[in-house]
Amino acid sequence: MALDQAHLSTLLQREVVFFAECESTQIEARKLAQDNAPSGTLVVTDSQRAGKGRLGRNWHGRTGQNLAFSLILRPPLSPQQAPMLCLATAVGLAQALDLRIKWPNDLLDEEGRKVCGILAEMEAQPSYVEYAIIGVGINVNQTTFPEELPNPGSLAMLRGEQDRSNVLREVVFAVERWCAELSGGTASVLGAWRQRAAHLGQRVRVGSVNGIARDVREDGALMIDTGEGLEAILTGDVEMLS
Ligand code: BTN
């Protein structure tokens, strides 16, 4: 079914800005945030000309089949606490869609196929976060993908065709709830993240670091046991080796 701005605003009980096409919802959301859009404002599109992935990559999705959205949040967090928003978002998505989390921001199905990605960006002053833009791409009804994508999956491949508006409602409320949890501390988010993690206790490689993924730290770092001690990884891609 087509996405519709008025229907989405009612369903999600907030201001939803819908674009049939835009460059990137991250860019549109940033403009709105700079214009004082309230926390909870949601930008959604059917098609991105230049969807942004993590680490400078692109994010592609076939027009009208998937979900691409950016949620503006104004969380009461310090810039040091802000990386936890990415983990809280992953927990919300994993619970709402019954997926596993691959550090830091990939949501995988049981076969290790990537169904969903997160790009969290923020604007911060030295002591507080002005706003965060939580970008989420979910492969919903797409079932064939370009060959260059390493291991893509989708909700339709798992459960058949989905109503995108209903998926959006489930995930937005779940993401918001878990991000709000952070104002009471990080313990519940970290606990839920550990339960949904795809790789804790397994051998992984991130860049040149090879070892057993043991835990995730308060600042969002992945802790890898190299055999010579614990190494904290703050950025990169996890390759699962076992
Ligand atoms: C990744 O896995 O590398 C993160 C992908 C994030 C993609 C989403 S789609 C909606 C939002 N707008 C963008 O340009 N990127 C994010």
Side-chain angles (χ1 to χ4, degrees), residues 90-141:
V91 168
L93 290 165
Q95 286 195 348
L97 302 174
D98 195 17
L99 297 169
R100 315 291 301 170
I101 305 168
K102 188 179 106 174
W103 185 91
N105 70 342
D106 288 352
L107 279 296
L108 310 182
D109 67 16
E110 290 295 334
E111 291 179 35
R113 297 176 298 197
K114 177 166 173 173
V115 175
C116 175
I118 303 164
L119 177 68
E121 300 178 311
M122 67 165 175
E123 193 63 40
Q125 297 300 326
S127 62
Y128 71 98
V129 174
E130 250 176 70
Y131 58 82
I133 300 179
I134 310 292
V136 176
I138 307 175
N139 298 332
V140 182
N141 289 324

Side-chain angles (χ1 to χ4, degrees), residues 7 14 37 44 93 124 128 132-133 143 170 176 187 197 202 212-213 231:
H7 174 62
R14 71 196 57 232
V44 185
L93 290 165
Y128 71 98
I133 300 179
T143 52
E170 296 301 317
E176 243 174 7
Q202 291 187 28
I212 308 295
E231 196 146 331

